[in-house]
Amino acid sequence: MGLKFLVTGGYFDSSGEGVVWHVDLEREQAESFIRWLPPEHLNVPRKGFAGGCRASDGHLYVAAHCAVVRIDPSRAEVSGVLHQPSFNDIHHVAESSGRLYIANTGLDAVDLLDLEGRFIGSHALLPAWANHRRMSGQDPARWDEVLNPGWSGEIPAPWPPRQTGDGYHDLGPRRGDMPFARLKVPDHLHPNHVSPTSKQTLVTCLDDGTVRDLRTFETVLTLTGMNPHDGFLAADTFWLTTIDGRVHAAPMRDGRVAGETKVRCRVFETGHAGWCRGLWTDGHLLVVGLTELRRNRMPRYRWADREPEGTETSVLLFELSEGRLLARVELTDRERHSKIYSILPWET
């Protein structure tokens, strides 16, 4: 294959617009491939497109906070929009064997639907009663109270309303009559990215630094003190980014991921920095994405041991054995504050 990719993303502005860029790393050029403005009932400011995949049916499936957008790459047109009222802050869509794996981050779940849009099931990381309360506008004070009810048999205690906000989430007292799907709600593990294999269904969890197998609900990797985002399977290895600019590799044994990871690339050492997500590799070349941070719009997670000034939104190509930077395409938008998620090979 060449070094051409489709890169999903959006903007930190009020539009809610999703964009897919066509990025040519050989020529170090980029152009807009498709733009999508969500209808009012699906519009969430500062969101746009999150992660997606190129599926076996040839379509591109991309997350859009509370919907999955289906794109026909041959025509660069949206061919369908899938929405359920329980979709919230969707971060990624993967496909395997005709099933869509949807990282329903706001609900701390991974939902499975077929390519026709029929719901199949869900891997839930919180109990149903807790998510029922959350969808009704309540938030727990401590997640431990949700996960460890004890053996007393008592009814779970009411959750007191949160009195102060954090500048990002729509906390209970401010939600009003807004549909759950359009809200920005506090989550527990923040599942980001799904990688189905023949033996595991791997999901990265930003909050606690884990990678979990949803078929067994076991933690297969723990990146202590780090926040993983994208995962990628290549060359009998599971690759993943952490938001602090490191790319990690975990060898697969008997088709399974387990054990330790090794840092294979430190992106910030090139002088280019940003919120690191977006990943593709063939085991020899590596492509990663960065998203610009701004001091008045800092994330709630510790990002890195540096200041946000000078960060950028860009796609970078590395040679893995020596860690050399081979090419870079900048997508920084000073006015709209652009952000990127998935990096998908362009296949004609």
Side-chain angles (χ1 to χ4, degrees):
M1 59 157 286
L3 292 175
K4 298 179 180 180
F5 297 87
L6 295 179
V7 177
T8 67
Y11 302 93
F12 287 100
D13 63 11
S14 61
S15 69
E17 182 182 34
V19 60
V20 179
W21 290 281
H22 181 255
V23 174
D24 187 334
L25 285 167
E26 291 178 309
R27 298 182 178 182
E28 296 188 288
Q29 296 176 346
E31 60 183 0
S32 174
F33 179 74
I34 191 170
R35 293 180 179 273
W36 180 72
L37 277 172
E40 183 178 357
H41 71 286
L42 301 178
N43 193 309
V44 181
R46 297 174 55 187
K47 286 297 182 177
F49 285 152
C53 68
R54 187 77 177 265
S56 57
D57 64 357
H59 285 95
L60 184 67
Y61 292 87
V62 188
H65 188 82
C66 55
V68 175
V69 177
R70 187 181 65 199
I71 297 169
D72 182 349
S74 66
R75 297 182 297 162
E77 293 180 357
V78 171
S79 62
V81 178
L82 178 65
H83 165 71
Q84 287 205 351
S86 58
F87 286 169
N88 182 284
D89 199 19
I90 299 175
H91 268 61
H92 182 236
V93 184
E95 184 264 348
S96 179
S97 302
R99 292 184 172 187
L100 298 176
Y101 292 74
I102 300 169
N104 192 355
T105 304
L107 211 60
D108 279 293
V110 173
D111 296 330
L112 273 68
L113 289 88
D114 65 22
L115 295 179
E116 299 300 317
R118 181 183 298 274
F119 182 84
I120 298 172
S122 181
H123 298 283
L125 296 170
L126 286 175
W129 70 266
N131 275 335
H132 173 73
R133 286 193 184 182
R134 296 174 67 226
M135 293 182 71
S136 301
Q138 302 177 59
D139 301 304
R142 294 189 302 111
W143 292 113
D144 187 65
E145 296 175 354
V146 174
L147 300 173
N148 298 297
W151 286 90
S152 65
E154 296 176 349
I155 299 174
W159 295 342
R162 296 192 180 189
Q163 300 300 320
T164 57
D166 58 6
Y168 178 82
H169 294 113
D170 298 311
L171 301 180
R174 296 206 307 267
R175 288 181 187 169
D177 297 325
M178 279 283 289
F180 173 77
R182 295 176 64 190
L183 294 171
K184 299 172 183 176
V185 299
D187 52 57
H188 169 46
L189 290 173
H190 200 91
N192 279 309
H193 194 280
V194 190
S195 300
T197 77
S198 61
K199 296 185 177 181
Q200 294 175 306
T201 301
L202 303 171
V203 61
T204 63
C205 297
L206 187 77
D207 189 87
D208 68 349
T210 61
V211 177
R212 299 171 183 237
D213 177 10
L214 296 180
R215 299 189 196 181
T216 62
F217 290 98
E218 293 178 308
T219 296
V220 297
L221 295 172
T222 300
L223 288 82
T224 304
M226 290 174 277
N227 304 98
H229 206 286
D230 288 55
F232 193 83
L233 293 159
D236 296 321
T237 301
F238 181 63
W239 302 78
L240 66 159
T241 60
T242 48
I243 61 176
D244 58 1
R246 283 178 273 194
V247 179
H248 308 253
M252 300 181 71
R253 299 179 178 88
D254 191 29
R256 297 179 182 274
V257 173
E260 301 295 326
T261 64
K262 179 180 179 180
V263 176
R264 292 294 307 275
C265 182
R266 299 178 186 271
V267 177
F268 296 177
E269 291 182 356
T270 64
H272 302 284
W275 184 277
C276 187
R277 66 179 169 224
L279 173 65
W280 175 88
T281 184
D282 61 1
H284 303 286
L285 297 175
L286 171 72
V287 183
V288 297
L290 299 175
T291 290
E292 177 194 5
L293 290 98
R294 297 184 181 179
R295 188 169 294 279
N296 63 346
R297 194 175 287 156
M298 292 297 290
R300 62 191 177 101
Y301 295 95
R302 185 193 69 82
W303 161 58
D305 295 326
R306 59 154 291 159
E307 300 300 319
E309 285 77 17
T311 57
E312 63 188 53
T313 302
S314 61
V315 180
L316 297 90
L317 171 68
F318 292 88
E319 188 276 325
L320 263 173
S321 64
E322 298 181 6
R324 290 185 298 118
L325 178 63
L326 301 178
R328 170 177 166 270
V329 174
E330 185 164 4
L331 296 171
T332 304
D333 189 312
R334 301 300 178 192
E335 181 179 348
R336 302 186 67 188
H337 192 177
S338 53
K339 56 181 174 178
I340 65 176
Y341 277 81
S342 287
I343 299 171
L344 309 172
W346 170 244
E347 301 171 3
T348 55

